[in-house]
Amino acid sequence: MAADSIKAVSRKIDPNRKQCTFEIFGYDFMLDEDCRPYMIEVNTNPCLELVSPYLARLIPSMIENAVKIGVDPMFPPPPFPVSKKQQIPDAMDNKFELVFNERDDAAELKNLPIDDTMIGIIEEEELDDECSEEEEEEEAQV
């Protein structure tokens, strides 16, 4: 589901095709009584506040693993003698997964039609503007 959502808007996310970049998105899901997932929203600027013990463990780990996925392949560690490899933790041990890599997924995306209008996609700024307008109307009515 996450990979499909990124593929659907890949041309909008990075229209200039910048090389050697990565982004972290915040996905919100809900599960129904049969444990079927429903994507609620995707945030381009997810909250990274450490407001609970769980988030204080999860978020730093997520950021570290995102760097392992997005940056470490560009700068692989130098080869170590066998004896030192035993002392160094595996840098590629990761609990997260790369869901979209334009280099690998580009061939599939080239066949998709280009829709520059992105009809049906609400930008965060537009949503904020709509909320502000609704609040102003409510205040004016009071």
Side-chain angles (χ1 to χ4, degrees):
M1 199 178 308
D4 289 341
S5 70
I6 294 293
K7 288 175 185 178
V9 296
S10 65
R11 292 187 175 125
K12 180 80 170 177
I13 292 171
D14 184 16
N16 298 323
R17 301 293 180 256
K18 298 175 193 158
Q19 296 294 311
C20 303
T21 63
F22 72 95
E23 294 187 56
I24 296 173
F25 295 96
Y27 279 79
D28 294 341
F29 293 94
M30 289 182 73
L31 299 176
D32 66 12
E33 60 276 353
D34 298 321
C35 292
R36 288 182 301 223
Y38 294 88
M39 186 179 353
I40 305 301
E41 67 178 353
V42 181
N43 299 296
T44 57
N45 187 16
C47 179
L48 300 176
E49 293 179 23
L50 310 178
V51 295
S52 72
Y54 176 70
L55 291 176
R57 288 189 321 271
L58 178 69
I59 291 173
S61 173
M62 182 270 305
I63 292 171
E64 180 180 341
N65 284 293
V67 170
K68 286 180 184 178
I69 292 171
V71 178
D72 286 358
M74 303 298 294
F75 305 99
F80 291 104
V82 176
S83 63
K84 288 192 177 186
K85 276 190 178 180
Q86 307 302 336
Q87 299 170 4
I88 299 171
D90 183 6
M92 297 313 285
D93 181 33
N94 197 327
K95 299 175 184 111
F96 293 85
E97 173 182 342
L98 178 67
V99 295
F100 178 78
N101 183 337
E102 187 170 3
R103 184 175 51 233
D104 298 337
D105 299 323
E108 177 184 344
L109 298 175
K110 284 181 182 175
N111 298 325
L112 294 177
I114 296 175
D115 180 9
D116 289 334
T117 62
M118 299 303 284
I119 296 171
I121 305 267
I122 300 174
E123 299 282 343
E124 271 187 50
E125 295 82 20
E126 293 173 15
L127 190 58
D128 290 342
D129 290 343
E130 287 176 14
C131 291
S132 297
E133 290 172 9
E134 289 174 8
E135 290 172 2
E136 289 173 7
E137 289 175 10
E138 288 174 8
E139 288 176 6
Q141 292 176 356
V142 174

